Amino acid sequence: MGSKLSPLLANLFMSDFEDDAQKEKYFPRVWKRYVDDVFAPVKERYLDQTLEMLNSRHSSIKFTVEREENGKLPFLDLLLTRKEDRTLKFGIYRKPTSTDRYITSDSNHFGGQKQAAFHSMAHRLYNIPMENAEFAEEKEHIHKAAEVNGYEEGFVNKILQTHRRKQHRRMSTTLQPEREEIKRVSLPFYPKITNPIKATLKRQGLQVVHKSENTLRDLLYNLKDKVPPDDNSGIYRIPCQNCPSVYIGQTRRKVKVRLKEHKAAVDNGKISESSVAAHAISCDHVINWKEAKLIKNVRKASQLNAWESYFISNSQERLMNEDDPPVTSCLFGLTKLRVQ
Ligand SMILES: [Zn+2]
């Protein structure tokens, strides 16, 4: 069950398998399957035949049996108990190894992620037809789990209330609440920045979802053998030694190659080839080559124009390349939010 496709393929295969097998004499009368787990009551004396019939149908399909013990049988996350009147009652089943550790309250996840485990437990609490004792026991368990993970009583009460109300609504009316189409926006999760944006977007009817960022990859990324800055491509800055003018440019090749070209243009007086040369020659200024360097490493060529415009728009300095104005956009105002 490793790949995302596995459950789908298992379901396809199993429905085909079932269509065929149910024509057989020993196929159980009740057969409830969830992906690869089946609940099926079988008379003790027919158990061997049933298993043999199921296992003889396909070389790669092997069923194993889990029998009830003292009238109890765990199935998925439920504990089924056979009552005296031969009907079933339901409880929640947790593996003996379950630790009830979820995302703790002091963790830096956003609220929705912290609530998720409790929402799912609350949903199950109100949707599995449990008897009073099992219901009370499970509710108590949810409260305990919240406490163990550092949550206040109010946190879990609020979640339980949401699900109780939903259940109440379902039971008192057949009308469905009107569903508006929800529009979502995906943003990375930086609480200080995304929370205010979230509130603004919410007023516009947009719901923010967070990208799950591959933090470990992000962390490790910088540890990979670092390319010396001169060998990178991106946005570079060349200052003048005699005045505050700077040149901001982009290159998709190694920045040291591009800087060499500018220098050659200056040395050879080719003002048409380089705004840096034009500045140096027309003002009779000396270029500060020592301070000329890459200011933003850009790996994707498609992002070069955007980054160049960003740096030029945000620059407070006088630019040598003022004559070829950058792309301006009111969106650049937003970029000031960026954490540098
Ligand atoms: Zn100058």
Side-chain angles (χ1 to χ4, degrees):
M1 291 287 130
S3 149
K4 284 180 186 170
L5 264 180
S6 304
L8 176 71
L9 293 175
N11 272 327
L12 283 172
F13 183 90
M14 284 308 291
S15 19
D16 197 51
F17 180 92
E18 287 157 356
D19 280 349
D20 223 32
Q22 60 189 341
K23 297 166 196 152
E24 297 285 336
K25 183 180 167 194
Y26 290 110
F27 193 81
R29 269 192 298 163
V30 175
W31 176 274
K32 300 284 177 197
R33 179 176 58 79
Y34 180 76
V35 191
D36 57 353
D37 279 314
V38 180
F39 172 79
V42 175
K43 286 216 164 77
E44 187 79 46
R45 60 177 181 279
Y46 297 137
L47 185 60
D48 288 343
Q49 286 101 316
T50 307
L51 200 59
E52 206 186 299
M53 177 276 291
L54 290 169
N55 282 337
S56 64
R57 307 191 64 80
H58 199 285
S59 58
S60 59
I61 293 292
K62 199 94 193 137
F63 285 88
T64 56
V65 170
E66 206 171 317
R67 291 162 189 252
E68 62 178 67
E69 262 176 56
N70 303 320
K72 289 179 195 289
L73 179 72
F75 177 61
L76 306 174
D77 57 352
L78 296 179
L79 182 64
L80 311 178
T81 308
R82 190 214 292 264
K83 294 196 292 185
E84 282 190 2
D85 63 0
R86 303 180 70 77
T87 59
L88 291 173
K89 78 172 175 180
F90 301 95
I92 302 302
Y93 175 73
R94 287 186 175 81
K95 284 186 182 147
T97 49
S98 156
T99 55
D100 274 331
R101 288 305 274 185
Y102 304 105
I103 299 172
T104 51
S105 69
D106 58 358
S107 146
N108 193 35
H109 290 72
F110 75 95
Q113 281 176 328
K114 290 179 175 178
Q115 291 163 10
F118 294 93
H119 270 297
S120 116
M121 284 189 272
H123 175 83
R124 194 168 59 179
L125 176 72
Y126 286 104
N127 286 278
I128 306 280
M130 285 185 267
E131 293 184 3
N132 290 344
E134 282 76 19
F135 180 88
E137 194 187 318
E138 176 58 17
K139 200 170 161 189
E140 179 60 29
H141 192 110
I142 297 173
H143 277 286
K144 281 227 176 83
E147 202 189 316
V148 168
N149 291 283
Y151 294 101
E152 308 262 328
E153 180 112 34
F155 167 86
V156 80
N157 279 339
K158 213 172 141 188
I159 292 174
L160 288 170
Q161 198 181 37
T162 311
H163 289 267
R164 188 171 60 239
R165 283 199 185 131
K166 259 191 207 163
Q167 188 204 31
H168 182 76
R169 214 168 34 224
R170 258 200 317 273
M171 288 167 77
S172 50
T173 174
T174 56
L175 295 173
Q176 292 291 313
E178 222 171 287
R179 282 210 172 182
E180 281 178 52
E181 201 192 322
I182 304 169
K183 293 205 173 93
R184 295 190 176 89
V185 183
S186 160
L187 290 178
F189 182 61
Y190 300 115
K192 272 188 192 159
I193 298 172
T194 31
N195 284 343
I197 296 178
K198 213 166 168 175
T200 311
L201 292 174
K202 199 179 173 186
R203 283 195 292 276
Q204 306 302 320
L206 294 169
Q207 190 189 345
V208 170
V209 291
H210 293 295
K211 277 183 203 160
S212 65
E213 275 178 273
N214 209 341
T215 5
L216 193 58
R217 180 188 169 276
D218 289 346
L219 283 175
L220 294 175
Y221 203 77
N222 288 331
L223 296 179
K224 281 208 299 197
D225 39 320
K226 279 196 176 160
V227 189
D230 269 7
D231 282 344
N232 283 325
S233 56
I235 310 303
Y236 60 91
R237 176 180 175 277
I238 305 173
C240 176
Q241 209 160 286
N242 303 113
C243 77
S245 295
V246 297
Y247 179 85
I248 292 175
Q250 57 160 287
T251 178
R252 61 178 67 203
R253 294 168 300 154
K254 292 176 180 179
V255 70
K256 65 178 178 194
V257 174
R258 186 68 190 118
L259 290 179
K260 236 181 236 166
E261 285 171 356
H262 277 295
K263 199 164 184 297
V266 173
D267 293 344
N268 299 318
K270 295 191 169 162
I271 54 172
S272 61
E273 278 176 20
S274 156
S275 298
V276 181
H279 176 84
I281 289 153
S282 64
C283 304
D284 199 18
H285 283 177
V286 178
I287 300 301
N288 186 355
W289 294 111
K290 261 191 191 158
E291 292 298 314
K293 60 180 181 215
L294 193 74
I295 49 173
K296 170 75 191 172
N297 183 10
V298 182
R299 287 195 181 82
K300 291 181 184 161
S302 59
Q303 295 179 354
L304 276 171
N305 283 338
W307 278 113
E308 183 187 41
S309 299
Y310 167 76
F311 278 101
I312 290 177
S313 302
N314 282 326
S315 172
Q316 305 297 323
E317 297 166 303
R318 200 162 83 207
L319 299 172
M320 297 178 195
N321 45 332
E322 239 159 18
D323 294 341
D324 27 298
V327 185
T328 52
S329 160
C330 58
L331 285 176
F332 287 122
L334 281 174
T335 63
K336 299 218 166 65
L337 280 170
R338 266 183 58 90
V339 188
Q340 293 276 345

